[in-house]
Amino acid sequence: PLVELSDRVQLPASVLTWHTAEALSDQDAAMDLLATILAEGRSSRLYSRLVHQDAVASEVSAYQMSQQLSSVFLIFTLADPSVELERIEALVQEEIDRIAAEGPRPEELERARNRIETDHLYGLEDLQSRAEALNRYQVLLGTPDGLGRDLARYQAADAAAVQAAAARLSAARRQTMRIHPEGAEQ
């Protein structure tokens, strides 16, 4: 499905979403790793491709928004105004399909694991964040001591799991939202 709308924005944007597995499942961890490989940092696949190589976007991000019953995988791109959003969406899907066919490179997977673990641990530095993590584990796992189990999912997720996660993000299962600047032709 496709939704197009106009809003008070400077640049056109595309938001691609898919329904995914519930929080703290093994599939959820593989989706987190995939999001990191796709769009975390300047050397990520989508940033390298869309911003540097093809120069069709100024910003790209990917997230696994983990929820208790069902999660959402989201890719956001901020487009160059001279580029059609359809072209950017096709390039994004091409990179997803490449991982689905070939899997991630070993160094990408290791970098993603390290990034996620570091983010988890830095996220526990202040008291409020620790309390929120304990509460989240209590709600989702029935016990507040879920950090070790949570991090173990990322170490257990191998290249095949990330490859399978990418395969779940087909164009046919995708919800697409395009946001155009007010007054711009669509």
Side-chain angles (χ1 to χ4, degrees):
L2 170 66
V3 174
E4 294 201 59
L5 54 98
S6 296
D7 203 349
R8 288 179 281 180
V9 296
Q10 302 261 329
L11 298 171
S14 174
V15 182
L16 309 176
T17 59
W18 295 262
H19 283 284
T20 57
E22 69 279 358
L24 299 180
S25 68
D26 292 341
Q27 287 182 14
D28 179 57
M31 288 293 181
D32 269 340
L33 289 164
L34 177 61
T36 302
I37 289 167
L38 284 171
E40 190 69 39
R42 295 181 184 273
S43 64
S44 65
R45 287 191 182 212
L46 290 177
Y47 195 92
S48 294
R49 177 81 186 270
L50 301 177
V51 177
H52 290 302
Q53 181 183 326
D54 293 352
V56 295
S58 60
E59 186 179 321
V60 61
S61 54
Y63 307 97
Q64 170 67 355
M65 296 177 7
S66 303
Q67 303 296 316
Q68 187 172 7
L69 301 176
S70 175
S71 302
V72 175
F73 191 91
L74 179 142
I75 298 175
F76 172 83
T77 55
L78 199 56
D80 180 293
S82 66
V83 178
E84 294 292 323
L85 290 173
E86 294 87 346
R87 178 171 177 226
I88 293 172
E89 293 157 4
L91 293 172
V92 167
Q93 193 64 51
E94 187 179 303
E95 289 300 321
I96 293 168
D97 293 345
R98 182 173 289 119
I99 294 175
E102 302 167 5
R105 295 184 300 275
E107 66 274 8
E108 287 178 312
L109 184 55
E110 189 59 29
R111 185 172 47 243
R113 279 191 189 119
N114 292 340
R115 181 94 182 224
I116 288 170
E117 185 173 335
T118 300
D119 288 350
H120 268 76
L121 297 176
Y122 279 140
L124 298 175
E125 285 187 346
D126 69 87
L127 186 58
Q128 179 67 34
S129 297
R130 277 181 282 192
E132 289 172 3
L134 292 171
N135 186 48
R136 182 169 191 258
Y137 292 133
Q138 179 66 43
V139 168
L140 296 175
L141 299 173
T143 181
D145 63 348
L147 180 63
R149 179 176 163 190
D150 191 4
L151 293 177
R153 297 175 312 126
Y154 296 101
Q155 292 303 319
D158 59 8
V162 174
Q163 186 173 1
R168 286 185 200 78
L169 303 183
S170 68
R173 292 188 61 238
R174 179 178 81 201
Q175 169 68 47
T176 303
M177 181 171 59
R178 297 178 184 144
I179 306 161
H180 303 277
E182 284 181 338
E185 284 188 35
Q186 295 183 29

